[in-house]
Amino acid sequence: MATRRDVAQRAGVSVATVSYVMNNTKNVTPEVRERVMHAVDELDYRPNLLARGLSTRETRHVAMLVDNLNNPHYCEVLSGAQEVASKNGYIVSVISVDFSNTRDVLDLASRWLDGAILALPTTNEQIESLLPPSLPVINHDVSIAFDYRRAFDDMVGALKRAGHRDIAFLSGVPLSTPNHWRYAAWREALDKHGLPVNPDLIVDGLPSARTDEAEGMRAVGALLERGVDFTAIYALNDLMALGAIRALHNRGLRVPGDVSVVGCDRLKILQSITPTLATMDIRGFEVGRFLMRSLISKIAGLSEEPLTVSVDFVMGESVAPIL
């Protein structure tokens, strides 16, 4: 079994430098880090995490907190996070926060963790306040800004060219949520393209902010009960869009024949369905990589600049011209 000294010899550095790289305790040049990690891979070096944890109180174990394990978006974020974590000697656990028993879950999550990523839709501040103050935490809402303006401009423009004027908005999260960027970008795009903002076409989210298929179905049901005309729907995410499509089908409405539907997340699994879903690409894999890099930096006492993600509208078969 390879030792740290073997890695140092293979990389042409000191044993201490190997420790700096593996533990992220001191800055080293990118070239040195690459040499050390290359040697680690070649020798299949596995540090004794238990011994190190006992001596340093580090476990190399971090957690990502989510609100819905059934949402494939989190799988894509986790894949990106895991790629960075594994290269830096960390393992990642995913914990679904049960809002009916939040304190117990967070008490469990804070044991023997080096840090945590909060990837929740609207309750990050509440959850963060319950975690130990000494635990390094990366808050998804603070570390990443999503610029939706171009995506909504492109989406509304495409819908307008297809003859759509009455576009419904399924909010998913409460409209009162601070920094509801998607709602703001939708209104801005409607105004830019000369389309009205009809309050009757806006379905507010519930306080629980469960942005899943059931919420998409509920929102479409509420929309249909109002008896207002609409020919297109934007749903907060792809899962809600799937629920919306199901609810429309249950009422005898065809997608996209009668109603066009757009989601957000660009879940890979949905690229094989028929019709393919028009959506917005928020680059979940890259987001996960950035969040993990930021957490590892914070654990080491360093910091990274916030990331701005430029979101793209991706046309799909769920959008069609009005006949």
Side-chain angles (χ1 to χ4, degrees), residues 5 11 38-39 76 86 88 95 188 192 246 266-267 275 279 285 289:
R5 185 174 299 278
H38 185 66
E76 297 182 15
S86 61
N88 289 273
I95 298 175
E188 181 180 320
K192 179 178 178 179
R246 182 178 177 185
R266 201 186 185 189
L267 299 178
T279 185
F285 185 83
R289 294 180 76 249

Side-chain angles (χ1 to χ4, degrees), residues 170-236:
L170 310 186
S171 182
V173 300
L175 293 169
S176 60
T177 300
N179 300 328
H180 196 335
W181 302 121
R182 279 173 262 192
Y183 179 55
W186 174 72
R187 292 182 63 102
E188 181 180 320
L190 289 180
D191 182 67
K192 179 178 178 179
H193 289 276
L195 298 179
V197 177
N198 184 346
D200 289 335
L201 293 181
I202 302 171
V203 181
D204 201 354
L206 299 174
S208 60
R210 298 292 292 184
T211 56
D212 53 15
E213 297 100 321
E215 173 59 14
M217 294 187 69
R218 182 201 72 83
V220 165
L223 187 63
L224 291 171
E225 286 177 5
R226 297 174 185 177
V228 62
D229 292 333
F230 63 93
T231 61
I233 289 175
Y234 170 80
L236 191 77

Side-chain angles (χ1 to χ4, degrees), residues 110-172:
S110 65
R111 298 177 188 177
W112 296 101
L113 287 178
D114 288 346
I117 294 171
L118 304 186
L120 304 163
T122 61
T123 55
N124 282 355
E125 290 184 3
Q126 173 195 359
I127 299 300
E128 189 169 6
S129 69
L130 298 176
L131 290 168
S134 59
L135 183 70
V137 172
I138 292 296
N139 189 324
H140 177 283
D141 286 349
V142 174
S143 298
I144 299 180
F146 292 93
D147 186 353
Y148 288 99
R149 289 173 294 181
R150 184 180 65 181
F152 275 91
D153 184 17
D154 290 345
M155 179 196 76
V156 172
L159 289 173
K160 183 179 179 181
R161 288 191 297 273
H164 299 278
R165 292 187 55 83
D166 301 310
I167 305 170
F169 184 89
L170 310 186
S171 182

Side-chain angles (χ1 to χ4, degrees), residues 253-267:
L253 297 171
R254 299 165 300 152
V255 175
D258 297 310
V259 181
S260 291
V261 176
V262 180
C264 183
D265 283 346
R266 201 186 185 189
L267 299 178

Side-chain angles (χ1 to χ4, degrees), residues 43-80:
L43 298 172
D44 195 27
Y45 171 65
R46 294 291 182 269
N48 188 332
L49 297 180
L50 178 59
R52 182 172 63 192
L54 292 173
S55 62
T56 66
R57 295 192 176 185
E58 293 182 352
T59 64
R60 314 295 285 189
H61 180 199
V62 297
M64 185 171 77
L65 276 63
V66 303
D67 70 320
N68 182 5
L69 286 175
N70 293 320
N71 189 341
H73 169 66
Y74 290 129
C75 295
E76 297 182 15
V77 175
L78 176 61
S79 295

